[in-house]
Amino acid sequence: MNYNFFMDEIKELQTLINNAKKIVFFGGAGVSTESGIPDFRSEKGLYKLKSKYGVPYETILSHDYYENNTLTFFKFYREFMINTTAQPNQAHKYLAKLEKRKDLWIITQNIDGLHQLAGSKNIIELHGSIHRNYCEKCMKLYSLDEILKKDIIPKCDKCGGIIKPDVVLYQEPLDERVITKAIIKIQEADLLIVAGTSLNVFPAAGLINYFFGNNIVLINKDKLNITKKIKLQINKPIGELFSSLN
């Protein structure tokens, strides 16, 4: 990318942020790749890896597979979905800093909890979090640390039920209350920053259709083609870009 052109994009993005009254940051897996957490659909993503379990990893993350192959699901989940050493990158840190001076909400498809770790408060987690777990029988809640101390298939110490991660699997609906809150925040915003997502996974990808403002910014390593009118598109790693902003 031409350096001078990139600097012009940074200046334009900074101006949009400075002038915005209400900002929504809508982020996908690409937000956390610079923290060492792989995405799913890129050339080096999780779904492109050869499966160790005889079925595609995408299949393992389905409700049916969880129900019918619970042990394998949890082996996969512990190995690939839980990362206890990942730390917030420049994107997470910038957003936490920005929230202190702007009306900013983060809508994330990620389940890693890195936005919270960076210090952000206004977060809507569309697909849940690895840090929340619950017994499917009695609904007792468990932290991630408690789960990691249990057997591969974690069992509730109160009733013996299986403890399920509070994450949305394929074939499972998103929480209507979470979706409604996300829609309201997007409708209220005058700047929507969409970053690190292919916008291929619905219903989450359809949320941008509820934005009725003029300023949509796309930030992604690869160029995206969407039907909504875009104010600015920057094809650059998100953390690297945000480290240049004030």
Side-chain angles (χ1 to χ4, degrees):
M1 177 182 288
N2 180 279
Y3 179 76
N4 290 330
F5 181 68
F6 179 52
M7 292 305 295
D8 289 342
E9 291 181 321
I10 290 176
K11 290 179 181 178
E12 185 175 358
L13 176 57
Q14 186 71 70
T15 298
L16 289 170
I17 291 172
N18 291 343
N19 292 338
K21 294 182 179 179
K22 293 188 176 184
I23 304 171
V24 165
F25 177 88
F26 180 78
V31 176
S32 293
T33 53
E34 292 168 83
S35 294
I37 297 177
D39 62 13
F40 295 92
R41 292 175 173 78
S42 72
E43 288 304 313
K44 296 181 180 180
L46 182 61
Y47 293 163
K48 297 296 176 69
L49 299 179
K50 184 177 180 181
S51 176
K52 299 166 59 174
Y53 301 107
V55 295
Y57 289 153
E58 191 168 6
T59 300
I60 296 177
L61 285 173
S62 68
H63 180 80
D64 283 350
Y65 195 92
Y66 167 77
E67 289 287 338
N68 298 315
N69 304 274
T70 308
L71 178 61
T72 303
F73 170 87
F74 275 106
K75 287 180 179 179
F76 166 84
Y77 181 80
R78 282 175 177 257
E79 180 176 1
F80 290 103
M81 305 306 292
I82 296 175
N83 187 329
T84 58
T85 62
Q87 293 297 311
N89 60 49
Q90 291 300 319
H92 301 104
K93 293 176 182 177
Y94 174 76
L95 291 168
K97 182 176 67 174
L98 184 62
E99 187 185 288
K100 295 179 180 179
R101 63 182 177 88
K102 284 288 185 179
D103 184 342
L104 168 69
W105 277 85
I106 296 168
I107 301 173
T108 180
Q109 299 177 77
N110 297 334
I111 61 174
D112 51 47
L114 291 181
H115 285 296
Q116 286 91 336
L117 191 58
S120 292
K121 305 295 183 184
N122 300 334
I123 306 167
I124 300 172
E125 294 174 311
L126 295 177
H127 296 154
S129 173
I130 62 171
H131 296 280
R132 297 191 300 270
N133 304 269
Y134 64 94
C135 173
E136 293 188 289
K137 285 188 177 180
C138 72
M139 303 304 292
K140 181 179 178 180
L141 301 179
Y142 290 85
S143 69
L144 178 59
D145 288 341
E146 290 174 308
I147 294 304
L148 293 177
K149 294 175 184 177
K150 292 183 175 292
D151 294 336
I152 294 177
I153 299 180
K155 297 291 183 67
C156 178
D157 50 25
K158 181 179 179 181
C159 73
I162 295 176
I163 303 170
K164 183 181 183 295
D166 186 15
V167 299
V168 179
L169 303 176
Y170 294 117
Q171 302 168 333
E172 294 179 343
L174 301 186
D175 187 315
E176 290 187 9
R177 293 167 298 178
V178 173
I179 284 288
T180 299
K181 187 173 182 180
I183 289 172
I184 291 171
K185 293 303 177 183
I186 288 174
Q187 288 177 332
E188 292 176 343
D190 54 11
L191 173 61
L192 175 63
I193 302 173
V194 181
T197 174
S198 62
L199 293 176
N200 285 330
V201 179
F202 287 85
L207 288 177
I208 67 168
N209 294 321
Y210 291 95
F211 180 72
F212 302 115
N214 296 316
N215 296 328
I216 297 181
V217 176
L218 291 184
I219 305 169
N220 206 56
K221 287 193 291 185
D222 300 316
K223 185 175 177 61
L224 299 180
N225 294 310
I226 67 172
T227 56
K228 295 280 285 187
K229 184 178 179 181
I230 304 303
K231 181 74 171 182
L232 177 65
Q233 181 163 185
I234 304 176
N235 301 123
K236 200 77 173 175
I238 305 155
E240 180 182 336
L241 171 63
F242 279 10
S243 65
S244 302
L245 297 173
N246 295 319

